[in-house]
Amino acid sequence: HEPDAVTETTAGLNILQAAAKEALEVGVPVRATAGDSLVSALVEDRLERTWQAAGRPEVKVQGELLAQQDRLAYAVGAMDLLSRPEVQGNVMAGTFGEELLLMGEVGARQTRFQVVGAARPAAAAFLPVVTDDYLLGEELYAAGAYLEPRPERVVSLMAQDGVRMLLLGLILLGTILATVGVLEGVLG
């Protein structure tokens, strides 16, 4: 897997865990899907741990592998699930491409609510088309810290924000110094 895919998948798993926890607390069954066997195993593990922590044995949780490494086959399987009447809501977060539009359209028509998160430009372009509630780019990565504010997640967000502010300050300082001509002698 490429590094971006790992980061997006981890963000999706964090969102899954928080959404599953909320659903289980109110007695709503949870079904999560994946398009990769490794991710499917991680999904099942997160669901099992969340289910055990919730202490709601009567509420069903299920992880399912829809397709192995084939984005279109995964989208077709997800579209089939979303079109079933018992599916009331849809949360999609993780590594998506253009297939997000297919799944998102069915989710928008068939479910009561839909939240979608993507960071890749191929998928992010479709977010406003399929839902009003979406997580774009960095919001996808930060969602886990907002949904379950554990210390390591909050500190990570604070560190990222600190680095951003530092870089912004350096860019601003460089712009001011270049404007006044101070950097002309240094840079030639």
Side-chain angles (χ1 to χ4, degrees):
H1 291 285
E2 51 201 91
D4 289 345
V6 172
T7 308
E8 291 165 352
T9 300
T10 302
L13 289 168
N14 290 338
I15 292 169
L16 166 66
Q17 188 170 352
K21 180 181 174 188
E22 292 291 322
L24 289 169
E25 285 177 359
V26 295
V28 175
V30 177
R31 185 173 198 172
T33 62
D36 177 280
S37 56
L38 176 60
V39 175
S40 182
L42 293 169
V43 162
E44 289 180 17
D45 177 64
R46 292 275 180 115
L47 285 177
E48 178 69 23
R49 285 191 285 148
T50 304
W51 179 73
Q52 288 176 354
R56 300 286 306 257
E58 74 280 4
V59 182
K60 185 177 178 182
V61 295
Q62 178 182 353
E64 186 175 349
L65 176 63
L66 293 182
Q68 181 60 32
Q69 301 292 341
D70 186 335
R71 290 182 182 274
L72 188 56
Y74 174 77
V76 169
M79 290 163 48
D80 177 57
L81 286 175
L82 289 169
S83 64
R84 296 180 185 174
E86 68 270 13
V87 177
Q88 298 296 308
N90 180 32
V91 177
M92 289 191 297
T95 307
F96 296 109
E98 294 87 357
E99 74 280 1
L100 181 127
L101 179 61
L102 299 170
M103 298 179 293
E105 277 297 312
V106 174
R109 279 186 277 119
Q110 301 291 328
T111 62
R112 291 183 185 197
F113 74 91
Q114 177 166 261
V115 178
V116 184
R120 293 173 182 237
F126 299 120
L127 292 175
V129 174
V130 299
T131 185
D132 291 332
D133 301 312
Y134 57 87
L135 303 168
L136 178 61
E138 291 180 12
E139 294 171 342
L140 174 69
Y141 305 126
Y146 286 107
L147 295 170
E148 287 189 300
R150 295 190 303 209
E152 66 274 8
R153 289 182 181 174
V154 173
V155 167
S156 174
L157 274 183
M158 291 172 61
Q160 292 170 31
D161 287 344
V163 169
R164 267 189 219 95
M165 289 299 141
L166 176 66
L167 290 174
L168 184 60
L170 290 173
I171 291 170
L172 185 60
L173 178 64
T175 303
I176 291 170
L177 291 176
T179 302
V180 243
V182 173
L183 292 179
E184 211 171 283
V186 176
L187 299 176

